[in-house]
Amino acid sequence: MNVYDLLRGLHILAVIAWMAGIMYLPRLFAYHAEVTPGSEMDRTFQVMELKLYRIIMGPAMVAAFLLGLALIWFDATARLGGWGFLLKPWMLAKLSGAIFLIGWHHYLGAARKRFAAGTNTRSNRFWRATNELPFLAAIVMVLAATLEFGG
């Protein structure tokens, strides 16, 4: 069995799970923003959002991050013969996207807490508009990794 391909496959699966959650949570927020705080629907959304964030998104983000680090280590030590590839434009784009997604993940976590506290100030239009940001980042990241532009 090829260890690198196994790591890459597991990394892709973790990213898929993380992206599913990171794209679905803002959609839940869009619907949640339209309900009355303290209502039965408010409580239902809070449970759904908490479970999505803690049971799916959190573990998937950690797995994607750790497997990504393992791939970087494997590339540097066994495949590419050094750490210089980290400065290639395609890798910088991919790493920048990963940093954005980690930041967005935590922004969504803070928003979830505001919904739970009944202090959300964002409209359903805001959540619908920002829902696609992770997918735009994913487009850049996937094309960067597959095309390896700039070297």
Side-chain angles (χ1 to χ4, degrees):
M1 178 187 319
N2 184 330
V3 175
Y4 183 80
D5 287 339
L6 176 63
L7 287 174
R8 188 169 49 174
L10 291 173
H11 177 67
I12 290 168
L13 290 171
V15 170
I16 289 170
W18 186 29
M19 289 296 294
I22 212 168
M23 292 176 70
Y24 185 51
L25 189 57
R27 181 59 58 179
L28 286 176
F29 289 164
Y31 299 132
H32 194 170
E34 297 177 328
V35 304
T36 305
S39 68
E40 184 176 338
M41 280 306 299
D42 176 54
R43 290 187 296 278
T44 299
F45 278 119
Q46 286 183 43
V47 170
M48 292 170 63
E49 293 158 0
L50 179 64
K51 287 183 177 184
L52 177 62
Y53 190 77
R54 288 207 179 141
I55 296 171
I56 297 171
M57 290 172 60
M61 178 186 69
V62 170
F65 182 76
L66 293 176
L67 289 162
L69 289 179
L71 287 168
I72 288 171
W73 177 83
F74 200 99
D75 278 340
T77 61
R79 267 185 22 122
L80 302 178
W83 298 92
F85 75 98
L86 290 173
L87 298 176
K88 300 281 185 178
W90 67 270
M91 184 53 114
L92 292 173
K94 188 171 182 204
L95 293 172
S96 296
I99 291 166
F100 166 75
L101 289 176
I102 291 168
W104 184 246
H105 176 102
H106 290 292
Y107 178 81
L108 294 176
R112 188 202 61 77
K113 289 179 182 177
R114 286 191 296 276
F115 272 106
T119 59
N120 171 58
T121 59
R122 300 289 188 185
S123 69
N124 66 338
R125 288 186 69 176
F126 172 83
W127 292 114
R128 290 178 200 279
T130 60
N131 187 52
E132 304 306 325
L133 292 176
F135 189 67
L136 294 174
I139 290 169
V140 171
M141 295 167 70
V142 168
L143 291 177
T146 56
L147 299 176
E148 293 187 4
F149 57 80

